[in-house]
Amino acid sequence: MSSSLMWSVGALALSSLVSPAAAAAKESYQLLENWHGDTFWDGWEFFDSPDPTNGFVTYTNQSRAEDTGLIDITSRGSLYMGVDHKSKLDPSGPGRESVRLETKGFYKEGLYVLDLAHMPGSICGTWPAFWSVGPSWPEDGEIDIIEGVNKHDSNKIVLHTSGSCDVGGGHEMLGDMSSGECGEASGTIGCVVKGKKGSSGDPFNKQGGGVYAMEWTEDFIKIWYFPRDSIPPSITDGHPDSSTFPTPMAHLQGSCDIAARFKPQKFILDTTFCGDWSGNVYGDSSCPISDSSNPMQSCVNYVAENPEAFKEAYWEINSIKLY
Ligand SMILES: *[C@@H]1O[C@H](CO)[C@@H](O)[C@H](O)[C@H]1NC(C)=O
């Protein structure tokens, strides 16, 4: 079927078509989405079902969140997304009210730029996350971009997918890679990069937050954190040029076929309490223990009985841009 002539003609046509486009795509990203203030509701919606991660949380709908002040557009035009920090609760009743937002659509390879003025602080019982997931888990992949629990002060990046997917190619990064296997071959651990101290929680907020960026291509996923005082000028002026960014927090690239293992993703922003991660490690987190035989119950008791502890458990988002 395939003569050598056809092959060489095909290769020639392909190279003349692909090269300039590929070069252009590398050098300049086009703005596809710019969510900020009220425009969030163009692209994002409320998830108000029971928490799939089994948290002591009640995710509210939009009208309830607006009525109770859990969600607000600030005078600076940013989006405030907090939790109920006023009600004392019965530990055996429904969980603390919070918000979980999800994109209406699914998004693929690109450059994601999240500008945060504040994220939930280093607070016992909390589990905030900015992450994405494909329609079918784990085959379509999951990317945990910002995540932490309890008294966290450094970000934990985790990717999950099916089979074996090795991203531990030895690339330079600022974070600590403790596992390079994102697939089920590593069990449920996934591939993991821990960022430096200050990349989440209280110290993140003290420096005015900053920008998280994720570049997702067919070959790699890179994640950067830029503190407020060192955001690259190309991001600030709206024409991000990743080739000029400094070393990323995480550079996930190896033999894994990223294009095949990470399908279009729905993005999610939430704050939950206790549950599968925060609750399970609560006993090791130097947090108040009320039931020494049951760390999860201690977590739930703490979250139920100490509303004032959760005043700082809010996200303040200047913008989320997708290029
Ligand atoms: C939103 O939630 C509140 C409180 O749970 C409920 O009373 C109300 O009917 C809901 N509104 C909509 C539009 O579903």
Side-chain angles (χ1 to χ4, degrees), residues 54-137:
N54 304 304
F56 180 66
V57 70
T58 302
Y59 286 130
T60 68
N61 61 31
Q62 183 161 4
S63 55
R64 171 87 183 155
E66 286 173 351
D67 290 350
T68 55
L70 295 195
I71 203 118
D72 199 13
I73 307 298
T74 71
S75 55
R76 307 193 303 110
S78 58
L79 177 72
Y80 168 94
M81 180 177 139
V83 306
D84 172 10
H85 56 88
K86 296 188 177 131
S87 319
K88 226 171 160 157
L89 305 173
D90 174 354
S92 58
R96 187 161 292 288
E97 287 196 334
S98 177
V99 172
R100 169 165 158 153
L101 298 182
E102 301 192 350
T103 55
K104 295 174 183 173
F106 287 80
Y107 299 89
K108 55 189 176 94
E109 286 91 349
L111 182 69
Y112 295 76
V113 179
L114 169 67
D115 187 329
L116 286 175
H118 192 279
M119 70 173 287
S122 312
I123 305 167
C124 290
T126 57
W127 175 7
F130 176 66
W131 56 294
S132 73
V133 66
S136 174
W137 195 93

Side-chain angles (χ1 to χ4, degrees), residues 174-185:
L174 298 179
D176 244 345
M177 181 180 271
S178 56
S179 158
E181 173 54 75
C182 315
E184 289 161 303

Side-chain angles (χ1 to χ4, degrees), residues 56 96 124-125 273-274 298-307 310:
F56 180 66
R96 187 161 292 288
C124 290
F273 305 99
C274 306
S298 292
C299 185
V300 169
N301 292 344
Y302 182 74
V303 171
E305 288 159 7
N306 296 281
F310 302 99

Side-chain angles (χ1 to χ4, degrees), residues 305-323:
E305 288 159 7
N306 296 281
E308 67 288 346
F310 302 99
K311 195 163 191 296
E312 293 295 313
Y314 69 91
W315 296 90
E316 185 185 341
I317 303 135
N318 291 327
S319 63
I320 300 178
K321 293 179 183 173
L322 166 52
Y323 294 88

Side-chain angles (χ1 to χ4, degrees), residues 97-305:
E97 287 196 334
S98 177
V99 172
R100 169 165 158 153
L101 298 182
E102 301 192 350
T103 55
K104 295 174 183 173
F106 287 80
Y107 299 89
K108 55 189 176 94
E109 286 91 349
L111 182 69
Y112 295 76
V113 179
L114 169 67
D115 187 329
L116 286 175
H118 192 279
M119 70 173 287
S122 312
I123 305 167
C124 290
T126 57
W127 175 7
F130 176 66
W131 56 294
S132 73
V133 66
S136 174
W137 195 93
E139 295 78 25
D140 297 335
E142 173 181 330
I143 308 171
D144 302 329
I145 303 163
I146 304 177
E147 211 172 8
V149 293
N150 300 319
K151 293 184 176 174
H152 65 99
D153 59 11
S154 55
N155 184 36
K156 191 172 172 189
I157 293 165
V158 184
L159 271 55
H160 297 280
T161 186
S162 58
S164 173
C165 161
D166 186 347
V167 297
H171 297 274
E172 195 189 351
M173 64 184 102
L174 298 179
D176 244 345
M177 181 180 271
S178 56
S179 158
E181 173 54 75
C182 315
E184 289 161 303
S186 69
T188 55
I189 296 167
C191 47
V192 180
V193 174
K194 188 152 191 200
K196 287 197 187 312
K197 197 170 166 179
S199 53
S200 81
D202 289 345
F204 174 92
N205 295 330
K206 274 205 191 91
Q207 60 206 10
V211 164
Y212 265 90
M214 173 174 75
E215 187 173 36
W216 170 15
T217 73
E218 292 192 346
D219 302 316
F220 61 77
I221 290 172
K222 292 182 188 173
I223 294 172
W224 289 264
Y225 165 53
F226 305 115
R228 181 65 51 203
D229 62 5
S230 48
I231 300 169
S234 73
I235 288 187
T236 313
D237 72 17
H239 300 284
D241 177 1
S242 60
S243 71
T244 64
F245 292 176
T247 307
M249 173 184 289
H251 183 159
L252 303 153
Q253 182 171 15
S255 59
C256 180
D257 182 352
I258 298 279
R261 296 317 187 82
F262 295 89
K263 291 290 165 46
Q265 308 268 308
K266 176 185 276 261
F267 283 76
I268 301 173
L269 183 68
D270 67 64
T271 307
T272 185
F273 305 99
C274 306
D276 295 341
W277 184 12
S278 173
N280 279 324
V281 300
Y282 185 86
D284 312 319
S285 308
S286 36
C287 288
I289 298 290
S290 50
D291 181 344
S292 54
S293 64
N294 190 342
M296 180 70 83
Q297 190 60 49
S298 292
C299 185
V300 169
N301 292 344
Y302 182 74
V303 171
E305 288 159 7

